[in-house]
Amino acid sequence: MKEKNVYIWMALIGIVLLFNFTPSVSVRVKGLFRDLFAPVQRVTSSCLERVRGAVVQVQELESYRETADRIAEELFVLKDRVRSMEQVEAENAELRRTLGFASRTTRRVVPCEVIGQRDLSGWWQMIRINKGLNAGLTNDLPVLTADGLVGRTMEVSRRTTEVLLITDPNCRVSARMPRVGAVGISRGSREAASDRSPLAMLHGEHLCRVEYIVKDADIRVGDEVVTSGLGEMYPGNLALGRVRNWSLDSSGLYQVAELDPAVDMRTLKTVFVVVK
Amino acid sequence: MFLGAIFLEIMVPTIRYLACAQIPFLLAAVLYYALTRTRGTMMLIACAAGLVLDCLSAIPLGYTSACFCLVAFASSLFRGLVYEDSFLTPVVFGAAGGALVTLIGYALIRTGLDQQGWPPGWVALKTLGTALMAGIVTPIVFFVARSVDGVFGSRTRTRI
């Protein structure tokens, strides 16, 4: 009986100690365990990826031809846009050279592999990447892909980092709609997209919403939303998503727009952390 | 079995339409130990399981350990009153344990963190989802754990 009591007291003391760890010690302990489990997560991530790939292949057998036609059309449009942008870039470079502006691309990026696709508890929208303090990463760095903004770094250990996604309500980003010039605050939305297949319900996509948009902004479905660059945490002009629908908020003073995120958070494999 | 539960917890995704409710393999393992082992062993397993979950998620250290210990201790109080071999026992204990862990964890997170809260409806759905998943998964984990115990001779099948 006394032995059992000893174990119970040990466990209780252990929990009290855990509660009273200072933040720095807490982060170190968590980092130690995360680094330990990182290889396991990498393996499970790749296994899941293969299973998901097989399921998706079965689902999309019918639509391959349509997809190929659509891609060919998009390629033609994109090539045209690239040609226009190259011309604008050349003019821009000439102007900057003439007026003596410093180059805007002073950012250094660190490529990282995604080893954990979700937060185990389900309370937050997060991923885990395979770089940490050893690679020069710190808290609150922007994370992005070629498609747009993914989120920001949150908890950094020696070899891994937690990234809070823009689809989490706790991740707020200053946003801008270039077509109408309106600004707002983007954050994750809890609502599920209703037009998804039953299989997708297991791992369906989360949405974003932009709040505090002025009431008279002429928003349309498909409008692009980008980061505004205000607040200095996120660089400007990074794609956040496209407007899916919009409405007045509960106060009636502002508009709220729901976005389809530019980045598909379910299929992230490689991301880039902007190291300032 | 403990390592297997950790592996499954990492691998199996949360369920989006149940407010990202997780499928609680580790909780099921903790409940099995709560009903079949000494209190000391049960508490140590609960602490370790909670610590692993806290380290692999954004929950502050110690929160899930506290939840697991509370639920395990509460379950162990009913040891002499239930048939551990019955199908209903793990279903009921799993569902109740899943709901309790979610609610207590939410209460701890809300008081401890300076962040945007979660809507009550979302929390309720998550609690219900976790309870449902725990009710389904716990009997399976109990069956596997009993079989493993039978193979290794850790305990005989008797009424506790």
Side-chain angles (χ1 to χ4, degrees):
Chain A
M1 188 63 184
K2 277 190 181 170
E3 257 184 70
K4 293 179 191 174
N5 283 344
V6 163
Y7 286 125
I8 293 172
W9 280 111
M10 272 173 63
L12 286 171
I13 288 167
I15 291 174
V16 169
L17 278 174
L18 284 172
F19 271 118
N20 286 291
F21 276 163
T22 58
S24 59
V25 172
S26 235
V27 165
R28 270 193 205 161
V29 171
K30 288 181 87 167
L32 205 67
F33 273 87
R34 277 206 300 268
D35 292 347
L36 201 65
F37 280 98
V40 175
Q41 280 196 294
R42 200 174 289 118
V43 167
T44 55
S45 200
S46 65
C47 289
L48 263 177
E49 193 54 46
R50 284 184 193 177
V51 169
R52 191 184 293 129
V55 169
V56 164
Q57 273 195 338
V58 168
Q59 277 184 314
E60 292 182 351
L61 275 173
E62 295 175 5
S63 63
Y64 278 165
R65 178 173 288 187
E66 280 177 28
T67 308
D69 290 342
R70 189 174 45 81
I71 287 172
E73 193 183 321
E74 279 179 7
L75 190 61
F76 176 80
V77 169
L78 284 170
K79 277 183 176 174
D80 192 45
R81 281 176 72 184
V82 164
R83 273 194 293 273
S84 310
M85 276 160 52
E86 278 173 354
Q87 193 179 357
V88 169
E89 196 178 290
E91 288 172 9
N92 203 1
E94 182 58 39
L95 274 173
R96 287 189 184 282
R97 212 169 27 247
T98 309
L99 294 171
F101 284 145
S103 169
R104 289 186 304 169
T105 55
T106 55
R107 296 189 289 264
R108 185 169 77 87
V109 294
V110 176
C112 306
E113 184 193 343
V114 175
I115 58 171
Q117 291 282 349
R118 60 185 179 93
D119 172 45
L120 282 193
S121 66
W123 289 108
W124 289 273
Q125 295 300 315
M126 300 178 77
I127 57 172
R128 186 165 297 130
I129 57 179
N130 69 338
K131 299 268 173 70
L133 291 170
N134 288 349
L137 271 55
T138 55
N139 280 355
D140 295 330
L141 295 178
V143 180
L144 42 92
T145 66
D147 292 329
L149 184 67
V150 170
R152 62 176 170 87
T153 55
M154 225 174 91
E155 286 184 6
V156 185
S157 64
R158 284 206 176 278
R159 282 192 285 271
T160 60
T161 298
E162 304 274 356
V163 175
L164 186 67
L165 302 179
I166 59 170
T167 49
D168 189 286
N170 293 296
C171 185
R172 297 180 187 224
V173 183
S174 177
R176 183 172 63 89
M177 295 180 171
R179 190 183 66 82
V180 295
V183 293
I185 304 290
S186 162
R187 64 184 182 97
S189 170
R190 293 274 175 217
E191 286 78 35
S194 56
D195 55 344
R196 300 289 176 189
S197 69
L199 261 179
M201 70 177 266
L202 284 177
H203 204 52
E205 191 173 358
H206 291 256
L207 304 176
C208 291
R209 52 195 301 169
V210 182
E211 298 171 333
Y212 307 113
I213 306 169
V214 289
K215 205 167 152 181
D216 54 2
D218 177 30
I219 305 172
R220 293 180 199 165
V221 172
D223 273 350
E224 194 187 13
V225 180
V226 298
T227 53
S228 67
L230 299 172
E232 295 184 359
M233 181 175 285
Y234 301 101
N237 292 318
L238 292 175
L240 283 170
R242 291 199 175 267
V243 174
R244 181 189 179 89
N245 58 43
W246 75 97
S247 59
L248 278 179
D249 73 355
S250 52
S251 68
L253 299 174
Y254 298 101
Q255 294 188 85
V256 174
E258 253 193 19
L259 307 183
D260 276 323
V263 179
D264 187 356
M265 305 296 177
R266 292 167 300 167
T267 58
L268 287 171
K269 288 179 194 170
T270 306
V271 296
F272 299 89
V273 179
V274 179
V275 180
K276 292 171 187 162
Chain B
M1 193 190 80
F2 184 58
L3 290 176
I6 294 174
F7 182 78
L8 283 169
E9 193 92 30
I10 292 172
M11 196 158 167
V12 176
T14 52
I15 299 178
R16 174 73 178 90
Y17 275 77
L18 289 176
C20 298
Q22 58 189 129
I23 302 179
F25 292 100
L26 269 175
L27 175 64
V30 165
L31 285 171
Y32 178 77
Y33 282 110
L35 292 177
T36 61
R37 298 290 195 274
T38 60
R39 284 224 170 103
T41 309
M42 164 197 89
M43 293 291 265
L44 286 175
I45 294 288
C47 276
L51 189 63
V52 167
L53 272 183
D54 285 341
C55 288
L56 295 178
S57 69
I59 299 178
L61 218 53
Y63 283 22
T64 312
S65 294
C67 296
F68 276 7
C69 282
L70 272 169
V71 166
F73 187 77
S75 302
S76 69
L77 295 175
F78 294 92
R79 258 194 257 179
L81 303 173
V82 297
Y83 283 102
E84 178 261 336
D85 290 349
S86 160
F87 174 75
L88 266 182
T89 303
V91 171
V92 170
F93 276 78
L100 271 173
V101 164
T102 306
L103 287 172
I104 298 171
Y106 172 69
L108 287 172
I109 291 169
R110 280 296 281 135
T111 53
L113 292 181
D114 179 25
Q115 278 192 10
Q116 167 91 17
W118 291 268
W122 197 85
V123 175
L125 183 60
K126 188 174 170 65
T127 306
L128 192 67
T130 310
L132 182 67
M133 289 298 112
I136 293 170
V137 149
T138 307
I140 300 170
V141 170
F142 269 51
F143 174 75
V144 170
R146 273 200 298 268
S147 306
V148 169
D149 277 349
V151 166
F152 289 103
S154 301
R155 52 178 293 274
T156 53
R157 286 172 171 258
T158 55
R159 179 180 174 186
I160 299 173

